[in-house]
Each structure stands twice: as C-alpha cells, then as structure tokens.
C-alpha cells in the first residue's frame, strides 16, 4: 500500500508517460490514447521492463478504472501482450471527471504488482 501511494504522488506530479521506478524494481511506462482522455473507450498501453532494460514477457495485466466519488461502478479491462514487453488493453471512461486506473500485474513467476495512474479531467464529448 505504501508503494502504491508513493506511486500516486509521482503520477500526480508528472502526468502521463513517465517511467515509474518504485519498489519492486520494475519499470512500467504507460500511454493512454486518445490523450487528453475523454469519455468513451481508451486504449492503455504499458511497457514493462527490468531495471536493466530487459522487456518483461509472459505477465498478465488486468486494468481497472475507478472514479473517486461513491456510487460508480468500476470499469475493467484485460491487457494483452503485444511483444517487446508491451501490454495493451481497452477501458471505458463512462463519465467526465477524475479517474484512477489500477494496473493489477502478475509476472510469470507469480509476483504481483499494483500500479496506479491518475487520469484527471477526463473530458466530456462535444454534442452536436
Ligand atoms: Cu463518476
């Protein structure tokens, strides 16, 4: 839990696409498309590597998106391995506002990691 909170502070400060090098020493880079995020489907891409740069293969990654206020159902997605340590999955941001994306990562040896990413200010879609 401590590691997760530390991680959150880093994300708040730096926004998108910053390597996250908290313990355990696995580097998780991420990208969200479209960016800035808006209501609707989003593609989340992670790239995971060991500190020396070697790509992490054979992990499984579950995605979960939550809003900070009560009464919202979380959205779930599974990221598929896409080669070179990349994992890609879909999530739906179902409402404008501030979201947190949780990444539940399980390495091939069974080690579990949790990372989270703040996605603030998801935009409403323009209506015609
Ligand atoms: Cu909401």
């Amino acid at each position: 839990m401590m590691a997760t909170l530390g991680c959150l502070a880093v994300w708040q400060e730096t926004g998108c696409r910053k390597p996250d090098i908290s313990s355990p020493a696995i580097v998780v880079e991420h990208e969200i498309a479209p960016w800035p995020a808006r209501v609707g489907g989003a593609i989340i891409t992670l790239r995971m590597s060991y500190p020396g740069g070697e790509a992490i293969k054979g992990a499984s990654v579950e995605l979960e998106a939550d809003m900070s206020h009560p009464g919202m159902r979380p959205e779930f997605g599974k990221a598929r391995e896409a080669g070179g340590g990349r994992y890609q999955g879909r999530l739906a941001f179902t409402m404008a506002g501030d979201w947190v994306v949780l990444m539940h990562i399980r390495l091939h040896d069974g080690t579990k990691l949790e990372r989270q990413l703040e996605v603030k200010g998801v935009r409403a879609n323009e209506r015609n």
Side-chain angles (χ1 to χ4, degrees):
M1 201 55 195
M2 291 295 286
T4 303
L5 291 172
C7 189
L8 183 57
V10 171
W11 294 123
Q12 278 174 331
E13 198 177 298
T14 57
C16 199
R17 233 205 140 120
K18 171 85 180 170
D20 172 6
I21 316 175
S22 58
S23 177
I26 297 288
V27 181
V28 182
E29 295 172 276
H30 71 274
E31 193 173 275
I32 297 177
W35 189 260
R38 48 178 184 268
V39 170
I43 295 175
I44 315 288
T45 306
L46 308 180
R47 187 179 182 281
M48 299 198 288
S49 55
Y50 296 104
E54 186 196 346
I56 292 177
K57 294 174 184 165
S60 70
V61 182
E62 307 279 344
L63 302 170
E64 177 181 343
D66 295 290
M67 287 194 93
S68 52
H69 65 90
M72 287 278 298
R73 191 168 63 90
E75 293 291 322
F76 296 97
K78 183 167 174 59
R80 296 220 171 108
E81 194 165 2
R86 287 183 310 121
Y87 296 81
Q88 196 166 63
R90 279 182 169 275
L91 272 179
F93 295 119
T94 53
M95 182 178 160
D98 297 338
W99 289 78
V100 175
V101 174
L102 305 176
M103 296 169 267
H104 308 290
I105 301 164
R106 188 187 176 95
L107 303 184
H108 72 281
D109 68 358
T111 305
K112 288 182 179 173
L113 310 178
E114 295 282 329
R115 292 295 161 90
Q116 70 182 54
L117 160 65
E118 291 227 332
V119 183
K120 294 215 174 231
V122 170
R123 296 172 182 192
N125 285 307
E126 310 264 319
R127 298 221 165 98
N128 295 323

